[in-house]
Amino acid sequence: IFKLKHLKSLKLNYLRLVERLPEDIGHLECLEELSLLITNIKHLPDSIYMFKHRKSLKLRLCLLLEKLPENLGLLKHLEELALSCTNVKHLPDSICMLKHLKYLELYHCSLLEKLPHDLGRLEHLEELHLSKAEIKHLPGSICMLKSLKYLKIYDCSLHEKLPEDLG
């Protein structure tokens, strides 16, 4: 598969036997979308940051995935990040460096309790889905998301009211 230099989209769905991605996945230089659905992936290889054109990273129903790499912010062109139904406990602060991120999906992340403090630095974020997450409060910087069009929060564990400056 790694000889497919011009591959733009890779979807690995319903592969429960797959526990890890090969380290040399970074050789897929033109890959724009990586989608994993119902896999037993436990972590992402470091070579995932070699993708120069990565626009979409979807990790859905990857129940063994508990941690994202701290240097996630190196995916400079990432526009879409979906982490639904994972066991990710926290988002790395470097996520706030994703200047082109438009879509962030954290649906049903039952172990995710907080968002990065500087979330407001995601200046192009248009959609934020937090439904059925265990997030206790929203950072005040969420009010700085000037491009935000859709904020979905239902069946969430918010212990505090929404920030007053929201909207």
Side-chain angles (χ1 to χ4, degrees):
I1 190 171
F2 302 109
K3 293 181 181 183
L4 302 173
K5 298 278 188 190
H6 300 287
L7 188 68
K8 292 199 179 270
S9 179
L10 178 60
K11 297 179 182 184
L12 301 173
N13 298 337
Y14 306 101
L15 297 174
R16 290 197 172 112
L17 296 177
V18 176
E19 292 184 4
R20 64 183 177 159
L21 294 174
E23 281 297 324
D24 56 355
I25 194 170
H27 294 286
L28 297 174
E29 296 174 4
C30 294
L31 194 67
E32 294 179 3
E33 176 187 13
L34 176 60
S35 177
L36 304 174
L37 174 67
I38 308 179
T39 67
N40 285 334
I41 296 289
K42 295 179 182 179
H43 70 277
L44 299 174
D46 290 336
S47 65
I48 202 163
Y49 306 106
M50 294 173 63
F51 298 120
K52 298 173 184 169
H53 306 289
R54 167 67 48 75
K55 292 183 181 177
S56 179
L57 178 58
K58 299 174 189 173
L59 306 169
R60 294 181 172 134
L61 287 162
C62 297
L63 298 176
L64 296 180
L65 184 68
E66 295 180 352
K67 183 179 175 186
L68 293 174
E70 291 300 321
N71 52 358
L72 188 67
L74 294 177
L75 295 172
K76 298 286 185 194
H77 299 286
L78 196 66
E79 295 178 6
E80 179 180 19
L81 178 59
L83 300 171
S84 293
C85 299
T86 65
N87 283 324
V88 170
K89 296 176 182 171
H90 80 280
L91 296 177
D93 289 335
S94 69
I95 196 173
C96 300
M97 295 169 45
L98 299 173
K99 298 294 183 188
H100 298 284
L101 194 66
K102 294 179 181 179
Y103 180 87
L104 179 57
E105 177 184 292
L106 301 168
Y107 174 79
H108 213 289
C109 291
S110 59
L111 298 178
L112 184 66
E113 295 184 350
K114 67 177 188 168
L115 296 173
H117 177 70
D118 288 337
L119 192 70
R121 291 176 51 199
L122 297 173
E123 56 194 50
H124 291 100
L125 192 66
E126 295 177 3
E127 295 186 45
L128 178 57
H129 299 269
L130 302 173
S131 302
K132 295 191 178 211
E134 291 297 318
I135 295 169
K136 307 275 187 255
H137 71 277
L138 296 176
S141 68
I142 198 169
C143 301
M144 296 170 50
L145 297 173
K146 304 296 182 199
S147 299
L148 194 65
K149 296 176 184 174
Y150 303 98
L151 176 60
K152 294 184 180 182
I153 305 175
Y154 64 86
D155 201 10
C156 230
S157 297
L158 287 174
H159 288 210
E160 300 176 10
K161 61 182 180 177
L162 295 174
E164 288 186 26
D165 293 338
L166 190 64

